[in-house]
Amino acid sequence: MNLATILDMVAEGMPDRVLIGDRDGGLTAAGLRAKALAGARHIVASGADRLVYLGPNGPGFPVALFAAVFAGVPFLPLNYRLGDRQLAEVLDRQGRPLVATDTPERVPGRETVPAGFFADIAPDDTPPATLPPLTLPPTRCRSRRSPRTPTRSRSCS
């Protein structure tokens, strides 16, 4: 199970539950999923091989995290207080990232979107066309001994 699966389960089971923000106008599970899928389509279309988030915490952060998961790229949150030299050193090791930041002048030569881009993106729950196939390792059941039960029980079915 990965984060995308967890969000899918919550969005299907409790779509109207507010996950981010206040109860009156916050982002619901279905809304978070729809925004994350729209963000994932943007990441895939950009050709980025990872998403770097260089901004303050806010509603855009979890949307960006799930967008990266749905796009199948690593998510790298960075402290926006990093010095320019340290930031350049980290980014130089990142291949071709899409950088979400409110200070694009700090990351010259890199493709950027505003840090609030993912919070403000129009919801669209269509998965990206080039979404990588999800491969999960086979499930293994192990026997375990409970201290209260002298017999063996299965830990999964």
Side-chain angles (χ1 to χ4, degrees):
M1 184 177 304
N2 67 18
L3 288 176
T5 304
I6 293 170
L7 182 57
D8 285 339
M9 290 170 51
V10 173
E12 288 177 24
M14 299 176 281
D16 298 327
R17 183 168 202 154
V18 175
L19 301 180
I20 300 169
D22 59 6
R23 291 182 188 218
D24 295 330
L27 190 57
T28 64
L32 175 58
R33 182 180 185 277
K35 282 180 176 272
L37 284 169
R41 284 199 347 268
H42 183 81
I43 294 168
V44 169
S46 76
D49 63 356
R50 66 197 67 232
L51 176 63
V52 174
Y53 188 88
L54 181 66
N57 196 6
F61 184 86
V63 176
L65 169 67
F66 283 108
V69 170
F70 281 121
V73 299
F75 179 72
L76 177 63
L78 293 178
N79 187 338
Y80 65 94
R81 296 180 186 126
L82 281 175
D84 290 340
R85 189 183 87 239
Q86 293 143 331
L87 179 59
E89 288 173 3
V90 172
L91 290 176
D92 286 345
R93 296 189 302 259
Q94 300 310 316
R96 189 176 185 285
L98 175 63
V99 183
T101 181
D102 288 331
T103 54
E105 65 277 1
R106 294 188 65 205
V107 291
R110 311 243 184 230
E111 185 173 354
T112 63
V113 294
F117 172 81
F118 291 98
D120 298 333
I121 196 166
D124 182 354
D125 55 1
T126 307
T130 58
L131 188 65
L134 180 63
T135 55
L136 299 174
T139 304
R140 296 180 131 187
C141 295
R142 298 185 318 210
S143 296
R144 65 178 178 167
R145 184 172 285 266
S146 170
R148 294 185 191 156
T149 310
T151 60
R152 292 188 171 265
S153 61
R154 302 290 286 178
S155 61
C156 62
S157 52

